[in-house]
Amino acid sequence: MKNILEIKNLTKYYGKTLAVKDLSLELHAGEIFGFIGPNGAGKSTTIRSIMNLINKTKGEVYFLGETLTKDNLTLKEQIGYLPSEVFLYEDLTVKEMLDYHESFYKKNLSKRRKELVKKLKLDESKKIEDLSLGNQKKLGIVLAFMHEPKLLILDEPTSGLDPIMQQVFYDLLQEEKEKGTTIFYSTHILSEISKICDRVGIIKEGNLLKVESIKELQSKNLTNVTIISSEIEKIIKELKVEVETLDEKTIKFKNTLNSNALIKILSKYEIEKLLIEEPTLEDIFLHYYK
Amino acid sequence: MFKREYKFNLKSFLIWTIITLSIFLLVYLMYPAIMSSENAKMIDELVKVFPKEVLVAFNMDIASMDSAFGWLKSEGSVFLLLIISSYAGMLGSSILLKEENDKTIEYLNSLPIKRTTIILNKVLVGIINITALTLLIGIFNYIGLTISGEFNTKQFILLSLTPLFSALVTFFICLFISTFTHKTKKTLGISLGIVLVSYMLNTFSAMAKEVEFLKYFSVFTLADIRNVIMNSSINLTVILITIILSISFLSLTIINYNKKELV
């Protein structure tokens, strides 16, 4: 599979504080890559390093096989970027802002601009300083998408959008994916990942813990198990797992054993009730964050 | 980008222009009344009582206060120099840094434009505005002086242009300083400080031989007002130094800005 974006050994220190450590990953053409981690995990630092807003301590970023430097305008023209917080020129109207954006690109963007403005229900006559946070985000989305880039880098794109607009945005992402656009999607909202992404990278304390497809993640041998038994103490001792005690006879835990092995252990004890459930994607992620 | 930048800075440019022209207008309105009064002749006599150092500081040893042009050569030129340099300093310290201060840099950086191009567009707007402010004041003063009485045109033109040299260097110094921080509030104070300290050093250096060397630490030395008043000419060295300093600080700005972390 062709790689659109390659990050090699990216390391970033702020003074003596490590923000990202030796991060390497590849984005395949036409995929939506989810980049997930809690606040302060290093998501924005990674994105800002890709965008050359900050200097990398170590490492390289390649886009379409070329080193992505801050002065490579041919490559920059093919990237759409939406920061987590959208700050634009407040003295301009939405129309003036879009005109200004258009002036930086050689190709005619008016058709795509009209489509996006209509889809996201933006009022072009409004001044940016009068826009709500949600509408500023919508304008940020139009600016990131309107020059039809090959790579979209989106940092927390749905924050500030109402549920209806979120759905419009997800549909827009699907459209882009069908056109072959590669999307780097950074978020801390787990439900978004399972809904829209093909693969996911999990980042924690600056380290990329895992890169897997959503299907692979969901097929992991992880289940949620609830047991009610009068011999619960003995079961806990034998299972050797971290359990959540609901009452003196009931425990709940995340099981990594296969079902046969689990049942073999439990068969030695008096079990009143056994409940084995499929984990949610959230459970899988939280498992990695332990 | 140039168009947007020009439009954005137009408001503050107009405010500075209107305030400055209003002050000059007051002078032109007041001077005929002062000069026609019986006590007018006493002004020059009164001035002579001042210590020589004070007269030198305001060019009153080489210019008479008995006309509007005389005022312009003495107090007026100092006022002009302070106003244009303060404007240049504030513009230099904010024109580039504003993008970081307002966090719009994240958007601007994502566009297909080089950082050097961003600087050059903003610098061009800065130079145009500083020059336009100088010219507008000059045109206004020309009209005012024409109405007020006779004056030496060549000397007036040179006197109107000479603040441009110190103002441009102040602009580029402040632009360079702004590449070391992310907030405009830090640099605005520094820019005004540079203008005031320069003024003080220039004034002290003219007062006594022992501290004459201080003029080498002041951008106001480049304005060379005394030479214009005495010889009706601008020293070529001043022009060359202005160009060299401007290009040097612009180059340092480009180098530093290209290395800078913008967030």
Side-chain angles (χ1 to χ4, degrees):
Chain A
M1 201 172 280
K2 192 184 166 195
N3 288 334
I4 288 285
L5 186 79
E6 285 177 63
I7 304 171
K8 285 189 178 167
N9 310 107
L10 174 68
T11 300
K12 175 65 187 171
Y13 277 91
Y14 290 107
K16 285 181 181 174
T17 313
L18 177 72
V20 175
K21 191 183 175 189
D22 210 25
L23 184 146
S24 295
L25 63 85
E26 289 111 34
L27 260 70
H28 305 150
E31 74 170 341
I32 302 182
F33 184 89
F35 194 51
I36 195 154
N39 295 331
K43 300 190 300 290
S44 290
T45 299
T46 305
I47 288 177
R48 285 169 171 176
S49 299
I50 297 171
M51 295 303 297
N52 286 303
L53 264 164
I54 53 174
N55 303 323
K56 304 167 197 74
T57 308
K58 208 184 94 186
E60 292 286 340
V61 176
Y62 300 94
F63 175 44
L64 300 172
E66 280 183 63
T67 308
L68 181 56
T69 59
K70 54 179 169 289
D71 284 344
N72 194 331
L73 302 189
T74 318
L75 292 185
K76 274 179 101 179
E77 245 177 33
Q78 298 179 75
I79 298 175
Y81 173 53
L82 177 69
S84 55
E85 286 179 277
V86 179
F87 291 99
L88 299 165
Y89 303 108
E90 294 194 338
D91 57 307
L92 299 183
T93 62
V94 171
K95 183 187 178 304
E96 286 167 336
M97 188 68 223
L98 294 172
D99 289 343
Y100 182 61
H101 188 80
E102 270 198 70
S103 71
F104 286 92
Y105 295 87
K106 290 169 201 143
K107 59 182 175 183
N108 188 344
L109 314 179
S110 56
K111 188 172 168 257
R112 185 62 176 150
R113 167 181 166 172
K114 268 182 202 161
E115 284 171 10
L116 289 165
V117 167
K118 196 176 166 193
K119 258 184 198 152
L120 291 162
K121 296 189 175 80
L122 263 178
D123 181 354
E124 285 202 37
S125 66
K126 273 202 169 178
K127 263 206 158 187
I128 291 173
E129 65 182 353
D130 297 330
L131 294 180
S132 64
L133 278 180
N135 279 325
Q136 284 186 29
K137 196 83 182 196
K138 279 154 63 178
L139 177 55
I141 293 168
V142 177
L143 294 170
F145 283 61
M146 72 188 261
H147 55 283
E148 298 183 270
K150 282 198 173 124
L151 172 68
L152 273 165
I153 297 178
L154 311 172
D155 194 1
E156 314 277 0
T158 53
S159 64
L161 293 183
D162 62 51
I164 296 167
M165 266 309 138
Q166 279 185 17
Q167 196 49 55
V168 172
F169 177 70
Y170 295 143
D171 294 343
L172 205 57
L173 285 183
Q174 209 48 49
E175 248 178 55
E176 287 295 326
K177 184 177 154 63
E178 279 160 21
K179 282 198 286 186
T181 312
T182 308
I183 301 167
F184 188 86
Y185 194 101
S186 168
T187 182
H188 60 249
I189 305 166
L190 297 162
S191 57
E192 285 192 329
I193 295 286
S194 55
K195 194 183 277 183
I196 57 168
C197 294
D198 301 306
R199 287 194 309 145
V200 64
I202 303 169
I203 186 167
K204 182 186 179 184
E205 290 163 7
N207 294 289
L208 187 66
L209 298 181
K210 210 154 195 71
V211 176
E212 270 187 299
S213 74
I214 297 296
K215 276 182 191 165
E216 274 173 342
L217 265 185
Q218 284 169 332
S219 65
K220 287 280 173 205
N221 200 15
L222 184 76
T223 49
N224 285 333
V225 177
T226 308
I227 302 169
I228 303 176
S229 166
S230 53
E231 295 177 282
I232 208 76
E233 290 300 323
K234 291 178 191 168
I235 294 171
I236 293 171
K237 220 171 179 180
E238 186 157 0
L239 283 171
K240 291 173 190 156
V241 290
E242 203 178 301
V243 298
E244 184 189 346
T245 308
L246 300 179
D247 61 46
E248 56 186 15
K249 287 170 71 182
T250 313
I251 57 164
K252 197 175 176 181
F253 61 95
K254 295 205 182 336
N255 171 48
T256 49
L257 295 170
N258 68 45
S259 297
N260 271 341
L262 178 70
I263 288 165
K264 209 170 179 182
I265 293 170
L266 295 180
S267 65
K268 293 185 245 170
Y269 304 99
E270 188 73 33
I271 303 293
E272 284 177 35
K273 196 173 178 183
L274 170 67
L275 181 64
I276 302 176
E277 293 169 300
E278 275 291 319
T280 61
L281 203 59
E282 278 87 340
D283 292 325
I284 299 168
F285 284 117
L286 291 173
H287 177 69
Y288 281 110
Y289 277 109
K290 266 186 192 171
Chain B
M1 186 185 182
F2 172 80
K3 207 171 137 191
R4 138 101 197 126
E5 203 57 43
Y6 187 79
K7 198 179 155 196
F8 179 77
N9 284 289
L10 190 62
K11 201 173 159 187
S12 75
F13 169 76
L14 290 175
I15 292 169
W16 275 84
T17 308
I18 290 167
I19 291 172
T20 312
L21 295 187
S22 305
I23 295 167
F24 276 103
L25 180 66
L26 276 177
V27 173
Y28 292 120
L29 290 175
M30 281 161 45
Y31 234 86
I34 297 169
M35 287 300 110
S36 61
S37 74
E38 284 181 7
N39 296 329
K41 284 174 189 167
M42 288 169 66
I43 292 177
D44 268 353
E45 295 301 318
L46 181 70
V47 163
K48 281 173 192 165
V49 179
F50 289 163
K52 187 175 172 272
E53 288 79 5
V54 175
L55 297 179
V56 170
F58 291 98
N59 302 317
M60 287 192 285
D61 58 327
I62 50 173
S64 167
M65 293 275 281
D66 60 359
S67 66
F69 187 49
W71 175 82
L72 191 68
K73 285 195 282 187
S74 50
E75 278 180 3
S77 60
V78 174
F79 172 69
L80 195 63
L81 195 54
L82 279 170
I83 285 282
I84 298 175
S85 297
S86 299
Y87 174 67
M90 292 185 80
L91 194 60
S93 61
S94 65
I95 199 161
L96 193 58
L97 195 57
K98 202 180 179 335
E99 300 281 356
E100 286 161 77
N101 192 65
D102 296 351
K103 297 177 180 174
T104 48
I105 191 65
E106 211 162 359
Y107 165 72
L108 187 60
N109 178 75
S110 73
L111 296 170
I113 185 167
K114 289 182 181 177
R115 287 190 189 184
T116 306
T117 315
I118 295 174
I119 297 170
L120 294 178
N121 273 289
K122 287 175 180 275
V123 162
L124 190 59
V125 172
I127 293 172
I128 288 174
N129 279 6
I130 295 164
T131 312
L133 180 65
T134 311
L135 290 178
L136 280 175
I137 295 170
I139 293 167
F140 186 83
N141 282 339
Y142 184 82
I143 298 167
L145 290 176
T146 309
I147 297 166
S148 301
E150 286 182 3
F151 63 98
N152 180 335
T153 311
K154 188 189 173 192
Q155 203 175 46
F156 166 75
I157 291 171
L158 296 178
L159 198 64
S160 300
L161 286 178
T162 197
L164 200 56
F165 302 120
S166 49
L168 285 175
V169 173
T170 306
F171 172 77
F172 283 110
I173 291 174
C174 292
L175 186 76
F176 173 60
I177 290 171
S178 78
T179 60
F180 290 95
T181 179
H182 296 294
K183 295 278 173 199
T184 48
K185 66 178 176 188
K186 287 182 185 169
T187 54
L188 287 175
I190 295 172
S191 64
L192 284 179
I194 287 172
V195 173
L196 292 175
V197 169
S198 274
Y199 170 63
M200 299 298 285
L201 292 177
N202 190 248
T203 306
F204 293 148
S205 70
M207 283 179 172
K209 279 267 178 213
E210 294 76 21
V211 286
E212 201 188 344
F213 71 94
L214 289 175
K215 70 179 181 186
Y216 299 112
F217 300 98
S218 167
V219 284
F220 280 18
T221 307
L222 295 167
D224 204 21
I225 294 169
R226 292 181 70 80
N227 181 42
V228 171
I229 297 171
M230 289 193 289
N231 307 318
S232 290
S233 70
I234 290 176
N235 196 338
L236 186 67
T237 318
V238 164
I239 299 173
L240 283 174
I241 293 173
T242 301
I243 293 170
I244 291 167
L245 284 176
S246 298
I247 292 172
S248 303
F249 279 107
L250 175 61
S251 307
L252 288 171
T253 302
I254 291 171
I255 292 167
N256 218 26
Y257 195 67
N258 271 293
K259 287 182 194 164
K260 191 179 185 185
E261 303 218 325
L262 297 179
V263 286

